[in-house]
Structures are given as C-alpha cells and as structure tokens.
Amino acid sequence: MSSLAVISGTGALSEQVRKVAEETSLLYTEYFIKPLLPNLEEPWRTLYKSKKLSAGILGLHPFKFSEIEEQLRKDRIQSIYFCGDFPKSQYFRVLMQQKIFGRLIRLGDKKFNQFFDATNNGFADPIRYYLALVNLLDSLGIKPMFARDLFPSFVTQEGDAGRIHAPPAIVASLPNLLVTLGRHIDIISPQRVNLSQAAIVDSGVIVEVETTGTDQLIDSYGTKSLIKRRIPFLLKPPSVDFNPALDQPTIGPTTVTKCMRAKIAGIVVCAETTIVIDKKQTLQLLDQAEMFLYSIPFRQLAQVYRENFDHTWA
C-alpha cells in the first residue's frame, strides 16, 4: 500500500488526478470528507451520490478527528495531496455557516474541538476548520505535497505561457501588488471563507478582491459596466498566510471563459504552485481570446513575502 494520500473533491481536477495517476502508475489512497446526511441540498447531494458508489474511495467524517487519525495511521500515510477542488467552498459554507456552526460543532469529537479551538479565531469558520484539519495532519507527521512534486504537468512554469505576453509594466509592478494585496487580505480576513487570495487589478490599482471564490470575483467584476477598463487582469497568487500546498491556486477553461466575458485582459499566477486544469484547452482559449498568462517565479514571490510579512509560510 502506498504511503501517499489524496483528499479529493468532485471537480475536474480530481478526475484529472485519477487519470494521470493511472497513466503513470502512481499509487495512493484516496479519501473524501463525506457529508453527514444524504438528503440535503447541493452540493451535499452531489458529493454523497458521486462518492457513495465509488469503490476504493474512503469517506471520512468531517468532525470526527479521532476517526480520521485512526484511519490515516491504519493506512500508514506519510504524505498527502489536497486536490484543488477540495474543499469545495460551497460545501464547507454549508457546513460552517456562522448561524448554525454552534450546532454543528457539537457533532465533533473531543479531538476536533481541541484542534479547532487552537486555531486563530480571527479567521472565518471554514478556514479554521481547514487549518484544524491540517494541524491534525501535522501532529501525525503527514506532509502536504505540491502538485509539482507529483503531477508536474499540471503546474505553470515561469514567465509567459501563451502567444500573448504580459505587458512589461505589469510584470514590473507585481512585487508591489503582491505586498498591497497581502496587506489588504489581512484587513478583510474575517470575511474570507477559503485559503486562497485573488484580485482584479487595473493600472496598478486593486479594483476588487476575492472573498468567496475566484469565479464569484470575476463574475462580480464583469457586472460593473461603468468601470473604465484599461488592462485589467486577474492576480491569483498563493496566500501570504498559508502553505500553498494546502490549497494550491487553480485555473482552467472556466476561469478563462469567465475572464473573457468580464473583459479581463490576462491572468497572473505563481509558477510551480498554480495548477492548470486541462492545460492544452486552457492555453488554446487564452490565445483565442488574446489574453496573457504570466507566472511569477516562485523564488521571487517567496522573497517578497519574507521581506514584507512576519507571519508568512515562505
């Protein structure tokens, strides 16, 4: 049995992981965080139906950390890969809504309460849940893995990826924009429901910041017809606060299509830590739309974070 585990979701990335793993004979144990009841609203129903019938995928109770620990020890797991579609933000929003969380937390065992209470209460409950889970893994000596280490074909490389190149002025402005975005995220941290951070930038100014998801961010920007657009782009770097292996930024055909509709000129991500779903189709769409995709060198981003933030993972 492999010592590698994968926490999967129900999106395209989990399917891509399974396909590539089969092609490369990569062995791993697959888990998912199962819904508590099968007859709730979406996305609970989708998760329940898709996973209930899937052989070889082990369900884990989200609030029974003792059971999770027992299963991981039994399977002798030493490293773990979080798919970009886990957790689905809507799924955890259902679990962790503030108004009902007091009831849900009582479903947790003593170990869950211990790890959850040890997280920073300045963060929203979905982030605290995720951090509690990651801290449990850390206590077991289980290391989160980057996609670059397991699935190198998934990630972006440094520089421009498509036919259209990012304007030099935008590339030169990125270090300062990373600092500005990181500080802005610190201010709005109680509103965040996921680990990643993204923003729409135009003319060196952050126009709008992600709070509930990148798709929602792009859609929201697209509705603002009165905004004067020059060269707006989506900036989607790893979080300042959290190890990017926990929630690696992900883009794909849907991201590009939404950006096209919102009249966004390009996308900026970080090399080695950003996953591209269906890379061939994504790059084709970028070229067709005459959009750029630029990847900041990972070492440059890490240096910017170290020099400007005391609380960073870098």
Side-chain angles (χ1 to χ4, degrees), residues 164-231:
I164 306 301
H165 290 193
I170 287 180
V171 175
S173 71
L174 291 176
N176 287 336
L177 285 171
L178 290 171
V179 175
T180 302
L181 178 58
R183 289 175 178 164
H184 182 84
I185 294 293
D186 279 345
I187 296 173
I188 67 168
S189 60
Q191 303 172 35
R192 299 169 67 188
V193 296
N194 50 30
L195 302 185
S196 60
Q197 60 184 33
I200 305 297
V201 180
D202 196 359
S203 302
V205 177
I206 294 176
V207 179
E208 192 163 349
V209 176
E210 170 187 9
T211 55
T212 59
T214 303
D215 287 351
Q216 292 84 349
L217 167 68
I218 299 170
D219 290 343
S220 173
Y221 178 76
T223 63
K224 294 176 170 55
S225 58
L226 297 180
I227 290 180
K228 185 176 181 180
R229 290 167 168 80
R230 293 178 176 84
I231 310 180

Side-chain angles (χ1 to χ4, degrees), residues 158 270-272 296-306:
E158 297 179 7
C270 179
E272 302 180 41
I296 308 164
F298 177 75
R299 62 186 181 279
Q300 181 185 16
L301 176 135
Q303 181 178 352
V304 169
Y305 283 0
R306 286 194 301 269

Side-chain angles (χ1 to χ4, degrees), residues 53-87:
L53 303 178
S54 298
I57 303 177
L58 302 175
L60 302 174
H61 190 298
F63 301 108
K64 302 293 187 184
F65 275 20
S66 293
E67 292 180 8
I68 293 176
E69 177 179 354
E70 180 181 359
Q71 186 67 54
L72 294 175
R73 288 188 184 278
K74 177 183 176 183
D75 295 335
R76 299 181 179 180
I77 300 301
Q78 296 177 9
S79 56
I80 196 161
Y81 173 71
F82 288 85
C83 282
D85 50 10
F86 170 85

